[in-house]
Amino acid sequence: MGNTRWDDEYDVVVAGSGAGAMAGALAAAAAGLRTVVLEKTRVLGGTSAYSGSAIWLPGTAVQQRAGIGDSTEGARAYLRALLGDDEEERREAFLSTAPELVEFLESDPALEFTFQAFPDYFAAPGRLDMGRSFVPLELPVEDLGELADLVRPPVDRDRAGRGHSDKPMAQGRALIGRLLLALTATGNGSVRTETPLTGLVMEDGRVAGVEAGALRLRAARGVLLAAGGFESSAGLRAAHGVPGAADWTMAPDGANTGDAIEAAVRIGASTGLLDQAWFCPGLLTPDGRPAFTLGFRGGLIVDGSGRRFANESLPYDQMGRRIAAAEGPFHLIFDARSGGLPAISVPPLAMDEQVASGQWVRAATVDELAGRIGLPAGVLAETVERFNGFAGKGSDDDFHRGEDPYDRYFSGGRPCVVAVDEPPYFAARVVLSDLGTKGGLRTDPDARVLDGSGRPIPGLYAAGNTSASFTGPVYPGPGVPIGSAMAFAYRAVQHIRR
Ligand code: FAD
């Protein structure tokens, strides 16, 4: 036995409080294990709370209720088409766990999900054009009582330092709020905010607990690291070559700086995929932070030379990767008719505010617009003219925008290549943003963290963006980050219980 002086003793210590962490904590506490969630910041939920809370867990009762023709086999075919032979074991673990996880979650009165149409991201066998992901039901703030203040508010309110409104919690807040309700109701789960994990304590060759500053917390059965990625660390991003910028990530300010990954590496854990993130285009808002944007129904995006370089309506991670490979600065060009506002932007964008703040530039002609954003005279006009020709004939010969059902999903089936020819013209700065890094600790199908020789480190588990994703550089469909975080956190707990 070791001789550490423990300040508190638990069976399971969970670091982080995103969807994976909270699902893992709930599974542990519901199984009678004394469980604590350690959260670095003042509020719970991290990026998961900001999210749309689409959950990609295929083949479950939710899809069966919706009658959408989803199945584990269909999802398997789809993932195989995208990932080939890579990560077959973890992929199978994910697929086989999804139905059981959802059955477990929905057996709790606090948790209920409903299908939400949102196409899978790739044209590949097994794809469902309306997707297979689902979301939690909204949650009246009153249902949470005093716990409501523990849930991270929506992005715009959070960035401005304002708390929740009295509207029902939706999307990611509903997911975190519901998981919190369920966790608290077990009687075995507690949360400690403003308590960052700073290190791992080894005893007799296994992880026996954690350090949280001066605190030593024992974890008799296991430690689950689900404390996000390192998207907010400029230093780690640079060290591992992650495109984009710490200032442009969508994660809450300063939250996810790779602490848990680094703590595990210090005790011998191995890492993978460290240059990868869940990428997206971001439109800068008046405070200089990006809005996560998707569903471009109008306008065109040009690079630093004033030319298009991709199908603007691509799923956001794929568009982000095109941005990473091109030369900026990037601008969305639109006009009075096409409207620049993408179908979804988080936080929401208001045209007047964007223009008044100078983030969006307005001009009477395309040439004037080009001059105002520093593009070579004539090139932007040529690009727009060529694009308008494609809009006129209904086909984008350069980048095939509008040919995939995903492209048209957000324009309600209407063409998404719309002429840009009605003044005034606008330019909006586009940056490479992300929803978090997706490289991190290497794990096995039970979410056990592996050392440099590929052996599990006893007592240590990881899920979500703290772990290297089984999807490699691919973002298969809406809800994969959260779905996979929850599935592997749940598997970690099933292993801990054995
Ligand atoms: P997080 O949810 O960020 O949680 C990490 C938590 O750990 C944070 O609370 C952080 O403060 C805490 N933490 C960090 N360091 C420590 C430490 N040392 N000790 C203790 N705690 C620590 N994904 C989907 O699957 N579906 C969607 O619909 C979706 N929509 C999105 C919409 C938006 C606007 C955004 C921004 C993202 C969206 N994503 C979506 C992506 C998804 O939200 C994230 O990739 C995912 O939630 C990350 O989960 P995580 O648990 O790894 O990290």
Side-chain angles (χ1 to χ4, degrees), residues 231-244:
E231 53 272 13
S232 294
S233 164
L236 288 177
R237 290 184 79 113
H240 300 302
V242 183

Side-chain angles (χ1 to χ4, degrees), residues 15-20 38-41 43 45-48 50-55 152 155 195-197 226-229 231 250 252 255-256 259-260 278 292 346 435 463-466 475 478-483 485:
S17 63
L38 306 184
E39 166 55 45
K40 172 180 182 174
T41 66
V43 281
T47 318
S48 305
Y50 282 175
S51 80
S53 74
I55 302 174
R152 188 173 283 283
V155 188
T195 309
L197 170 123
E231 53 272 13
M250 285 300 302
N256 296 341
D259 312 346
W278 310 98
F292 164 48
V346 186
L435 309 178
N465 292 343
T466 301
Y475 195 153
V480 171
I482 287 180

Side-chain angles (χ1 to χ4, degrees), residues 224-317:
L224 170 60
L225 302 177
F230 57 89
E231 53 272 13
S232 294
S233 164
L236 288 177
R237 290 184 79 113
H240 300 302
V242 183
D247 288 344
W248 289 342
T249 184
M250 285 300 302
D253 283 346
N256 296 341
T257 49
D259 312 346
I261 298 172
E262 292 199 301
V265 166
R266 285 198 294 277
I267 61 148
S270 61
T271 53
L273 281 184
L274 289 177
D275 58 349
Q276 292 296 321
W278 310 98
F279 292 109
C280 62
L283 289 181
L284 291 185
T285 65
D287 68 4
R289 307 292 312 281
F292 164 48
T293 42
L294 61 137
F296 286 94
R297 302 167 289 191
L300 57 140
I301 298 181
V302 296
D303 63 13
S305 73
R307 295 186 176 82
R308 291 177 74 213
F309 57 97
N311 162 10
E312 297 83 349
S313 301
L314 276 173
Y316 48 91
D317 178 68

